């Protein structure tokens, strides 16, 4: 613990000493300050060269550090530094680094340089994706960024083009890289290729049409959903990473969302449903497996046949399922079902109307409208009894559950 603290302090000194340059530099002799008359006046062009430090992080063993120099204009540069030695890996236009938990590997994205036509600021990328990975960067006309995996001991790299997210399994035995849907010609479904790499052997398998994926908390299992064209093969699948064996936990010509493991790593939940014609919300059921990988059929909670579920509501995919710590409850979100507006032949009006007496300006109203369109009421399903409890409603819309699931504020 003390060694890690010393290395963290060393990282702070390195960052402070090198923030003005492109990388760590040797110390230079002190020089006398120039007279005030010799100081150059800053102009607008100078501001673009100022850099900020981002993505500063330590590896779990405290021996490596990552940091990004981000200029106001131009491309970022990612550095991966050995705090006990003089090795520094410099990655132009690198971003969003993450270490494996055994501190042997680091993964990150590499974007095309700004001069190559990449839209927006250099090396930033979009916010992380809902599945817990890192978000895709660039615009529709941008060249795809690539994922890069680096062996910290040897410096050797392996890359995958067009990546939108990546994750290391607990124990660092396996890496998953989810490829970007934008690089796929068929846009009628959400799934895209998932690369699953064994970090020991380097063997990589490609799983097609993956919608969501998640490693269990022990790092021995990988669950993923399939979202394919015409819903052919849609379902939830489980991979035993030790043997490579894959089996279908559930399969149906419906949509799957909200894949979630419990903290124990043995329980899995997902929403499955389809949208009824003329309705705005998808009608979902909750599927929950306990004791994986040896579990049997899922416990199914279907609101349509449940007397304790509020009428006119649905289990919403806008709120991902979440397990209580003891695995006895799955927290979900419910939302009122609504009829779709009738289709009209006339083009829709594109006008925002704001009155000077409105309590909020138009821009705030638009943001809160989008939030309202995805708002849900917190609820819980007890597993395996299948009992349902609504926790929030319009009079008390915000509920914060304790981790054990027994109490809420």
């Amino acid at each position: 613990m003390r060694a890690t603290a010393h290395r963290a302090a060393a990282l702070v000194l390195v960052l402070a000493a090198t923030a003005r340059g492109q990388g760590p530099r040797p110390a230079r002799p002190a020089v006398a300050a120039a007279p005030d008359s010799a100081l150059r006046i800053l102009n607008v062009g100078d501001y673009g060269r100022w850099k900020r430090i981002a993505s500063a992080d330590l590896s779990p063993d405290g021996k490596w550090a990552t940091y990004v120099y981000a200029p106001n204009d131009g491309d970022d540069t990612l550095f991966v530094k050995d705090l006990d030695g003089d090795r520094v890996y410099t990655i132009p236009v690198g971003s969003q680094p993450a270490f494996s938990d055994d501190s042997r590997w680091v993964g990150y994205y590499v974007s095309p340089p700004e001069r190559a036509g990449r839209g927006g600021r250099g090396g930033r990328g979009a916010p992380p994706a809902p599945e817990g990975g890192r978000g895709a960067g660039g615009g529709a006309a941008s060249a795809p960024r690539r994922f890069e995996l680096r062996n910290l001991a040897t410096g050797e790299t392996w890359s995958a083009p067009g990546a939108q997210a990546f994750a290391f399994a607990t124990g660092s035995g396996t890496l998953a890289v989810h490829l970007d849907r934008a690089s796929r010609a068929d846009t009628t479904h959400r799934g895209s290729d998932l690369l699953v790499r064994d970090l020991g052997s380097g063997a990589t398998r490609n799983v097609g049409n993956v919608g969501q994926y998640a490693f269990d908390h022990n790092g021995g299992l990988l669950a993923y959903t399939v979202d394919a064209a015409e819903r052919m093969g849609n379902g939830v699948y489980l991979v035993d990473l030790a043997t490579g064996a894959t089996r279908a936990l559930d399969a149906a010509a419906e949509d799957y969302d909200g894949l979630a493991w419990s903290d124990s790593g043995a329980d899995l939940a997902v929403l499955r449903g389809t949208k009824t014609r003329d309705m705005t919300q998808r009608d979902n059921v909750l599927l929950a497996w306990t004791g994986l990988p040896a579990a049997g059929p899922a416990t199914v909670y279907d609101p349509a046949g449940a007397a304790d579920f509020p009428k006119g509501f649905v289990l919403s995919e806008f709120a991902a399922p979440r397990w209580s710590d003891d695995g006895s409850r799955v927290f979900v979100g419910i939302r009122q079902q609504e009829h779709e507006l009738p289709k009209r032949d006339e083009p829709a009006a594109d006008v925002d109307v704001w009155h000077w007496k409105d309590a909020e300006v138009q821009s705030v109203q638009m943001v809160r409208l989008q939030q309202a369109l995805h708002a849900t009421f917190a609820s819980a399903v007890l597993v395996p009894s299948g009992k349902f409890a609504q926790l929030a409603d319009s009079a008390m819309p915000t509920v914060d559950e304790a981790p054990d699931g027994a109490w809420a504020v």
Side-chain angles (χ1 to χ4, degrees), residues 278-281 312 335-340:
D278 299 330
M279 294 294 181
T280 59
Q281 307 299 324
R335 181 174 173 82
Q336 192 164 16
Q337 181 64 280
E338 298 172 322
H339 288 276
E340 288 184 337

Side-chain angles (χ1 to χ4, degrees), residues 99-127:
F99 290 106
S100 61
D101 60 6
D102 65 358
S103 301
R104 294 181 56 201
W105 309 89
V106 64
Y108 48 84
Y109 299 111
V110 180
S111 299
E114 193 172 69
R115 61 179 176 273
R118 175 171 44 85
R121 284 258 306 118
R124 283 291 196 258

Side-chain angles (χ1 to χ4, degrees), residues 310-380:
K311 300 299 182 184
F313 280 74
V314 297
L315 288 175
S316 177
E317 66 274 14
F318 296 148
R322 181 174 57 83
W323 289 86
S324 62
D325 284 354
D326 62 2
S328 65
R329 299 168 174 84
V330 179
F331 295 108
V332 293
I334 65 172
R335 181 174 173 82
Q336 192 164 16
Q337 181 64 280
E338 298 172 322
H339 288 276
E340 288 184 337
L341 294 176
K343 295 182 179 180
R344 299 179 178 179
D345 296 333
E346 300 86 2
D350 188 15
V351 177
D352 295 322
V353 180
W354 176 74
H355 193 273
W356 69 276
K357 288 186 178 181
D358 286 352
E360 297 172 338
V361 297
Q362 183 68 17
S363 57
V364 174
Q365 292 182 32
M366 294 174 68
V367 169
R368 295 194 174 174
L369 172 62
Q370 293 304 312
Q371 294 173 344
L373 292 174
H374 293 84
T376 61
F377 293 137
S379 305

Side-chain angles (χ1 to χ4, degrees), residues 52-74:
R52 290 183 295 273
I53 295 173
S55 300
D57 194 16
L58 288 171
S59 61
D61 65 1
K63 294 182 178 180
W64 290 87
T66 60
Y67 52 97
V68 170
Y69 284 161
N72 288 327
D73 292 327

Side-chain angles (χ1 to χ4, degrees), residues 33 57 111 151 153 206 227 239 313 327 381:
D57 194 16
S111 299
N151 185 316
N206 189 329
D227 191 329
V239 181
F313 280 74
V381 175

Side-chain angles (χ1 to χ4, degrees), residues 12-24:
V12 171
L13 293 176
V14 168
L15 296 179
T18 59
R20 293 186 299 274
Q22 288 298 322

Side-chain angles (χ1 to χ4, degrees), residues 9-226:
L11 171 61
V12 171
L13 293 176
V14 168
L15 296 179
T18 59
R20 293 186 299 274
Q22 288 298 322
R25 299 178 182 273
R28 290 185 284 185
V31 295
D36 288 348
S37 60
L39 295 179
R40 187 168 66 84
I41 298 175
L42 293 176
N43 57 48
V44 174
D46 294 319
Y47 299 138
R49 300 168 58 191
W50 288 2
K51 302 179 183 69
R52 290 183 295 273
I53 295 173
S55 300
D57 194 16
L58 288 171
S59 61
D61 65 1
K63 294 182 178 180
W64 290 87
T66 60
Y67 52 97
V68 170
Y69 284 161
N72 288 327
D73 292 327
D75 295 320
D76 296 355
T77 302
L78 169 64
F79 297 94
V80 184
K81 177 173 173 54
D82 180 359
L83 296 179
D84 289 335
D86 56 2
R87 285 180 297 176
V88 179
Y89 300 122
T90 303
I91 303 100
V93 209
S95 65
Q96 301 180 45
F99 290 106
S100 61
D101 60 6
D102 65 358
S103 301
R104 294 181 56 201
W105 309 89
V106 64
Y108 48 84
Y109 299 111
V110 180
S111 299
E114 193 172 69
R115 61 179 176 273
R118 175 171 44 85
R121 284 258 306 118
R124 283 291 196 258
E131 63 191 17
R134 284 77 176 170
S142 303
R145 68 178 179 179
R146 72 177 187 273
F147 166 80
E148 195 164 274
L149 174 71
R150 184 177 293 268
N151 185 316
L152 291 171
T154 66
E156 295 179 349
T157 61
W158 172 81
S159 63
Q164 65 165 315
F166 72 92
F168 292 102
T170 301
S172 306
T174 310
L175 167 76
V177 181
H178 202 188
L179 301 187
D180 194 350
R181 293 191 294 267
S183 61
R184 190 192 66 214
D186 184 0
T187 59
T188 60
H189 59 99
R190 298 177 299 168
S192 59
D193 289 353
L194 180 72
L195 305 181
V196 182
R197 184 174 178 85
D198 185 312
L199 294 177
S201 66
T204 303
R205 63 188 292 187
N206 189 329
V207 183
N209 296 318
V210 172
Q212 298 177 343
Y213 70 95
F215 291 110
D216 77 322
H217 289 268
N218 298 319
L221 300 172
L222 171 67
Y224 65 89
T225 65
V226 167

